[in-house]
Each structure stands twice: as C-alpha cells, then as structure tokens.
C-alpha cells in the first residue's frame, strides 16, 4: 500500500480522549484538533526513520529537549502529532515552544508509561476509526432514522428504535394505520407506563437484555395493540437499546427476523458512536483546562477548541466543599462534589459561553475567558450566585477563591495559583465564603511563610519542638497558652478568657513555657520567631 496516500484515521481530539489522562499530556496543537491520525509509527534517533503525513510519531530513545530535532523533522514530513517522554517542566516548555514554531501537535508522555502500551492503545483508536469510516461507506449505515426506514422496508413493518430507558430515538414513516401504542410512543417519545409494566412482568425486557434473541409479543386487541417482534441492541454483553417492529398491513415473516438481527448490529455502531461523541468533547475540554492551569498546554490550542480569544483577559475561580469533615461515606462526598461541579458549570456557562470547568483533586476550577476587562466585579457576582445556590441545594457549604484577572489566556496559570493561595488561606475560616487576594493578603503571606519555614529544617527552632514535646509527655497546654498570649499582644486577660482559664493560671504557664524552652519573651525578634513556629506546629497538628 502506498503510504503517501493517507488512510482514513482518527481525529486528534478522538485520540486525546482515548489516550490522554493518565498516559499523555497535550503540550500544543497549533493546527487544531481536527487533524487526522492515520498511522502510528515508532522512530529511534539512532536510526534513519521515515515518517509520512498523518502519522503519530512515537519518539523512543530521546527524552524532553533532546527530541527537538525529531519533532521538527516529523513536522516537515507532515506528521499529525509527535509523542515524547517528558520528565520536567523545562522539557514541557521546550517541546511546546518547538511544536508551536514547527506547526505540529506534541504529546508529552508520562515517564512511567510503556511505549508498547501507548502504541497499542493509539493503534486501536486509529483502527477503530478506520473501521467506522469504512462502515459508513456501506449502504446500510446512515442515521438512526434512515436505519429505521430501511428495516421497515425489509420487514413490511412499522419500526421504532429505543434506548434502555424505552425512550424513542428514531422511528420509520408509515402509511399504514399505527396502533395506539405506536402513536403514544412517538408522540410521548416513550411507551405508556402501563404497557411497559406488562412487558416487564412478561419477562420481555429480561430476554431482550440477555442476547440477540428475537422476542415476539402477541396481539392485544383489547388494548388496541398489534403483534410485535423486538431485538436487543448490544455492545458485547452491555445492552444499548431495542428495535421494535409492529406488524403492518402484511404479516411479519421469517425474513423479517434476519433483517432485525442485522439491524441490531448496525444500530450498535450508531449508539456507541453517539455515546463517544457525547462524552468526548466534555472530557477533552476538561483535560485541556487541567493542562492550561498547570501551564503545560499552550493557550492558543485551548482557545481554538473552546471558541475563546486567547488575547483577552481571563480569571480562574476555585471552589471546594467545607463543613463536611465528619462525612466518612466516600460515595456521599463524591456525589456532593458532582452536584457542586454541575452547579458551577451551569452558572459559569451562563456567564461566559466559552467557560471551562474541571475537577482537580477535591477542588473544582472554573476558567472564565473573554472578559471585557480586568475588573472582577462581574466574576465576583457570578461567584456569589454559585455559593448562594450551593447553600440552598447542597448539604455542605462551598468556599470560593477568586484569582487575579490576567491579561491573556497564556497567563491563566498565574490566576490559578493565586486562587489556590486564597482558598488555602480560607481553610480555617469556614464562615468566609468568597475571597480575593485583597481580602486575605495577610493570611496568604503568613501561610506561605509557614510553608517555607516547614520545608526547611535550617529555619526550625528546636526550642519550640522541645516545648511541644514537653506538653505531649505531661498532657500540658503550655504551647497553646503561649500562642494565645502572643496572639493577644501579651494581654493576659484577653488570652486567659479565650482559653477559659484564670489570668494567674495563664501567667504561670507563660513563665513555665519560657523556662522550659529558653525563649526570651522580652525580645521582639524572639517573640516573632516563637509565634511563627507555634503557628506552624498548630497547622501541622490540624493536617494530621
């Protein structure tokens, strides 16, 4: 076969849905997501390898920036995409810049992924897409309504195609008189419940779900229902729907059963494709947003896919559930997060058509592109609506951190980082539902100071560790008392009231804390350092 003539293949977006998270990250797609991947080839930098238009090129033996030459070469040959293993953010940035300059899509492959695993999965996607295209070229494959009309002509019957919930997906036109069931099903897009209950009682649905058996349902004149036959539509053992044929002017014959069996197999292709198309776009959009927030995907690729202007301002808002610490049922918590995500998606889409929403861990991120300016008033209004709606519809409260308005989509990772910092600072203030950096700047600075302090042993004060160890050994409260004293600016009465102890008790504890730790509380620098270390100790305790 002449490889210079590209074979039918899979659009890049379809490939990304199938082999994206957790195998690869899209780094750039400068020619969009409709490029067709027609073949999968492996090249080794130490060998002369030829690539062709439409190839997905897997570069083995070269990682990160060392594969730049192979990326440029594949781009010159017209490759649809190039996959390279990446280990660092520097690798990702270098490959992304090369992809944008060379005009070819580049996929960053996770270090732990085996090449044979990626090749097998990618080749399967391409082969399946090719088979679907070839099937589309056949005479029997049109849309579901065309299929229903074809079956009607072959059986002399009146046809409807339904999903597993008995909703009518398509039906044939008919000049014959249709019975009451047919009329109600088409008008209501679903069969009448009384008749469906009878079918369940007779075991009809159970037989249709179990395999490719042709099930006959007798005439019921008292109900105005004519004779029918039906077959289940399956993908392997998974039921996808049903094809029903009502007897028309002519009796249903043996050949009708053969036509029905073939139609069920053809309908399965349609329904699988519809499901894939319905889920592919949202999943790809979520993956693109995750990559953009992490700074791994170029903004132009994302903008082209969502219909946004990459050169206009954008904001990231991050949401999380609060006040559900006692929930031990993971499924209940996941359900609440799903409900929260759906609520956020609806509000965000109403605010900006090109909005994107995705889950990362326990947080939900909303990207709001195409803003009219860098003012946050509209974004804050939308966020208040979401939090208020969550309060009405969810059992848990929702907190939101609003990032900075950045001038272009390329800067979105900065807005995301700020939104995360704001939400982190709100963690122990559950009554504060919405905040920007201006609202919690002091707490953000303090939180980041504690992070630096906790991550560097050279800065740690062993005297505070000794004081905390003394409390643990003697079931004491010296460290907590000292922290309350420092937070009250040395006001003994205020601190003792907060601790619910007598002022003299607090004075004794402060004196003992100084004796055990050796900290000179008359020195402002000592007090500041002790305060920071005590706050760090409290945060560590809460995070355990």
């Amino acid at each position: 076969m002449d490889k210079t003539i590209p074979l039918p293949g899979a659009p890049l977006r379809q490939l990304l849905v199938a082999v994206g998270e957790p195998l690869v990250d899209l780094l750039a797609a400068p020619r969009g997501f409709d490029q067709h991947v027609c073949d999968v080839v492996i090249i080794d930098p130490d060998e002369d390898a030829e690539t062709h238009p439409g190839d997905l090129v897997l570069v083995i033996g070269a990682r990160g920036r060392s594969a730049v030459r192979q990326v440029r070469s594949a781009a010159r040959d017209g490759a649809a995409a190039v996959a390279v293993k990446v280990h660092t953010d520097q690798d990702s940035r270098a490959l992304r810049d090369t992809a944008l300059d060379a005009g070819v899509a580049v996929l960053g492959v996770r270090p732990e992924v085996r090449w044979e695993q990626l090749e097998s999965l990618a080749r399967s996607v391409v082969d399946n897409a090719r088979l679907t295209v070839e099937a589309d070229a056949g005479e029997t494959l049109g849309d579901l309504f065309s299929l229903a009309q074809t079956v009607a002509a072959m059986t002399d019957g009146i046809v409807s195609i339904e999903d597993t919930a008995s909703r009518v997906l398509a039906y044939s036109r008919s000049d014959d008189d249709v019975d009451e069931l047919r009329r109600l099903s088409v008008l209501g897009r679903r069969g009448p419940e009384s008749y469906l209950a009878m079918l369940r009682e007779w075991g009809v649905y159970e037989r249709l779900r179990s395999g490719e058996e042709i099930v006959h349902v007798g005439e019921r004149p008292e109900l105005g229902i004519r004779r029918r036959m039906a077959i289940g539509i399956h993908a392997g053992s998974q039921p996808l729907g049903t094809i029903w044929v009502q007897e028309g002017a002519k009796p249903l014959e043996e050949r009708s059963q053969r036509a029905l069996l073939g139609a069920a197999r053809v309908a399965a292709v349609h329904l699988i494709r519809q499901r894939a198309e319905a889920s592919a776009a949202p999943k790809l959009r979520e993956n693109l947003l995750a990559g953009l927030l992490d700074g791994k995907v170029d903004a132009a690729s994302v903008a082209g896919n969502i219909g946004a202007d990459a050169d206009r301002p954008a904001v990231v808002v991050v949401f999380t559930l609060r006040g559900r610490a006692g929930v031990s049922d993971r499924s209940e918590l996941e359900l609440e997060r799903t409900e929260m995500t759906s609520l956020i998606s609806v509000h965000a889409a109403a605010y900006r058509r090109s909005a994107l929403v995705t889950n990362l861990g326990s947080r939900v991120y909303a990207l709001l592109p195409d803003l009219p300016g860098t003012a946050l008033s509209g974004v804050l209004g939308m966020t208040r609506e979401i939090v208020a709606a969550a309060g009405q519809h969810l059992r848990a409260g929702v907190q939101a951190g609003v990032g900075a308005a950045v001038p272009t989509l390329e800067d979105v990772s900065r807005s995301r980082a700020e939104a995360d910092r704001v939400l982190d600072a709100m963690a122990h203030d559950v009554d504060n539902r919405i905040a920007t950096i201006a609202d919690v700047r002091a707490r953000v600075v303090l939180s980041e100071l504690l992070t630096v302090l906790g991550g560097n042993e050279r800065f740690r004060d062993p005297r505070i560790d000794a004081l905390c160890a003394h409390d643990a050994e003697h079931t004491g409260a010296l460290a907590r008392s000292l922290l309350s004293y420092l937070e009250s600016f040395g006001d003994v009465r205020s601190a003792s009231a907060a601790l619910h102890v007598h002022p003299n008790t607090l004075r004794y504890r402060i004196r003992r804390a100084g004796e055990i730790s050796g900290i000179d509380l008359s020195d402002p620098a000592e007090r500041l350092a002790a305060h920071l270390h005590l706050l760090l100790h409290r945060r560590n305790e809460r995070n355990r």
Side-chain angles (χ1 to χ4, degrees):
M1 182 177 293
D2 184 0
K3 287 193 65 179
T4 61
I5 302 175
L7 294 168
L12 180 59
R13 69 177 70 251
Q14 183 178 341
L15 184 74
L16 288 171
V17 169
V19 304
E21 177 77 19
L23 300 183
V24 304
D25 297 306
L26 175 71
L27 301 182
R31 291 190 289 165
F33 297 88
D34 294 324
Q35 295 289 315
H36 273 237
V37 177
C38 306
D39 199 2
V40 182
V41 299
I42 295 176
I43 66 170
D44 190 316
D46 295 331
E47 300 176 359
D48 291 333
E50 186 180 3
T51 58
H52 300 85
D55 283 350
L56 167 62
V57 180
L58 311 183
V59 181
I60 66 171
R63 299 183 175 186
R65 287 165 287 185
S66 63
V68 165
R69 182 176 63 83
Q70 285 74 32
V71 172
R72 292 190 180 279
S73 175
R76 286 193 297 270
D77 291 337
V82 185
V84 182
K85 285 204 172 183
V86 295
H87 289 261
T88 66
D89 290 341
Q90 290 81 359
D91 283 343
S92 296
R93 284 193 291 269
L95 288 170
R96 184 178 64 185
D97 292 344
T98 301
L100 294 174
D101 182 56
V104 66
V106 171
L107 314 181
V109 183
R110 307 282 175 87
E112 67 276 11
V113 174
R114 301 192 314 274
W115 283 115
E116 60 269 22
Q117 176 189 15
L118 178 58
E119 181 197 14
S120 174
L121 185 54
R123 197 174 294 282
S124 173
V125 173
V126 173
D127 289 345
N128 287 342
R130 187 178 301 148
L131 287 173
T132 301
V133 170
E134 290 171 356
D136 282 343
E139 294 181 359
T140 60
L141 268 175
D143 59 29
L144 283 176
F145 280 90
S146 298
L147 179 62
Q149 197 63 37
T150 300
V151 176
M154 296 177 70
T155 61
D156 292 320
I158 303 168
V159 178
S160 65
I161 301 175
E162 302 178 0
D163 64 12
T164 53
S166 299
R167 292 184 292 259
V168 177
L169 302 175
Y171 52 88
S172 63
R173 300 181 303 276
S174 176
D175 296 327
D176 293 330
D177 290 336
V178 297
D179 64 12
E180 185 67 6
L181 173 59
R182 162 75 176 196
R183 187 182 66 82
L184 291 174
S185 297
V186 171
L187 290 178
R189 306 299 287 178
R190 192 173 190 270
E193 184 55 41
S194 58
Y195 185 69
L196 299 180
M198 281 194 297
L199 293 179
R200 287 192 288 268
E201 183 181 343
W202 298 337
V204 171
Y205 285 118
E206 183 178 353
R207 292 166 65 189
L208 291 172
R209 287 194 299 267
S210 64
E212 292 184 325
E213 175 188 3
I214 305 292
V215 178
H216 294 268
V217 180
E219 186 177 14
R220 300 296 296 256
E222 72 279 12
L223 299 175
I225 296 174
R226 298 181 183 177
R227 178 189 171 206
R228 276 170 170 72
M229 64 180 183
I231 188 171
I233 306 168
H234 297 84
S237 60
Q238 181 184 0
L240 299 177
T242 315
I243 301 179
W244 290 88
V245 182
Q246 175 207 314
E247 190 171 68
K250 298 179 181 179
L252 296 173
E253 300 179 353
E254 180 70 24
R255 62 184 177 85
S256 299
Q257 298 188 38
R258 292 194 297 272
L260 201 54
L261 176 61
R265 293 173 179 175
V266 171
V269 176
H270 282 294
L271 295 179
I272 291 170
R273 183 187 305 144
Q274 287 179 0
R275 289 189 178 189
E277 290 173 352
S279 63
K283 183 176 178 182
L284 177 58
R285 285 161 65 92
E286 289 180 9
N287 290 343
L288 288 175
L289 176 54
L292 185 64
L293 294 178
D294 288 336
K296 294 178 179 178
V297 181
D298 79 287
S301 297
V302 177
N305 189 65
I306 65 176
D309 187 342
D311 295 323
R312 294 188 67 185
V315 164
V316 173
V317 184
V318 59
F319 300 84
T320 193
L321 293 170
R322 296 291 193 210
R324 299 290 283 168
V327 176
S328 57
D329 188 335
R330 181 176 178 183
S331 61
E332 181 183 355
L333 189 58
E334 287 301 318
L335 177 59
E336 288 187 356
R337 286 176 181 160
T338 300
E339 292 173 348
M340 176 177 68
T341 303
S342 297
L343 186 150
I344 293 167
S345 297
V346 169
H347 281 270
Y351 180 69
R352 280 291 174 272
R353 183 183 298 274
S354 51
L356 283 178
V357 176
T358 191
N359 291 283
L360 292 176
S362 63
R363 296 183 171 185
V364 180
Y365 293 85
L367 167 66
L368 305 169
D370 289 332
L371 297 182
T374 56
L376 289 175
S377 56
V379 175
L380 287 172
M382 180 212 71
T383 306
R384 292 190 189 98
E385 290 178 4
I386 291 174
V387 171
Q392 293 178 352
H393 301 295
L394 302 180
R395 292 176 292 280
V398 171
Q399 280 188 317
V402 182
V406 292
T408 70
L409 212 56
E410 194 69 50
D411 305 307
V412 155
S413 59
R414 288 199 292 111
S415 183
R416 180 261 177 102
E418 183 171 294
D420 277 332
R421 292 164 65 200
V422 171
L423 198 59
D424 289 341
M426 299 167 66
H428 303 299
D429 184 8
V430 295
D431 293 328
N432 188 8
R433 293 300 184 185
I434 303 168
T436 66
I437 189 70
D439 301 318
V440 293
R441 191 179 301 278
R443 274 177 281 172
V444 167
V445 171
L446 180 58
S447 176
E448 296 191 357
L449 281 174
L450 295 181
T451 299
V452 172
L453 192 64
N456 196 322
E457 289 293 329
R458 294 188 301 111
F459 296 154
R460 297 293 293 274
D461 190 337
R463 296 175 298 177
I464 296 297
D465 293 337
L467 181 63
C468 294
H470 181 276
D471 277 348
E473 183 179 351
H474 297 88
T475 320
L478 298 181
R480 185 162 63 92
S481 299
L482 178 56
L483 177 57
S484 181
Y485 173 76
L486 293 171
E487 289 186 329
S488 300
F489 299 101
D491 184 338
V492 172
R493 290 194 177 278
S494 175
S496 61
L499 293 169
H500 306 290
V501 299
H502 193 276
N504 288 338
T505 301
L506 180 61
R507 290 188 182 97
Y508 169 76
R509 289 180 180 178
I510 299 305
R511 186 171 63 254
R512 283 291 294 153
E515 291 170 355
I516 292 170
S517 66
I519 295 172
D520 181 4
L521 295 175
S522 65
D523 184 334
E526 291 267 273
R527 290 199 302 271
L528 176 59
H531 195 173
L532 288 172
H533 281 87
L534 287 167
L535 288 171
L536 177 63
H537 177 75
R538 183 175 68 180
R539 186 170 78 170
N540 291 341
E541 284 292 313
R542 286 174 171 174
N543 290 338
R544 284 176 186 168

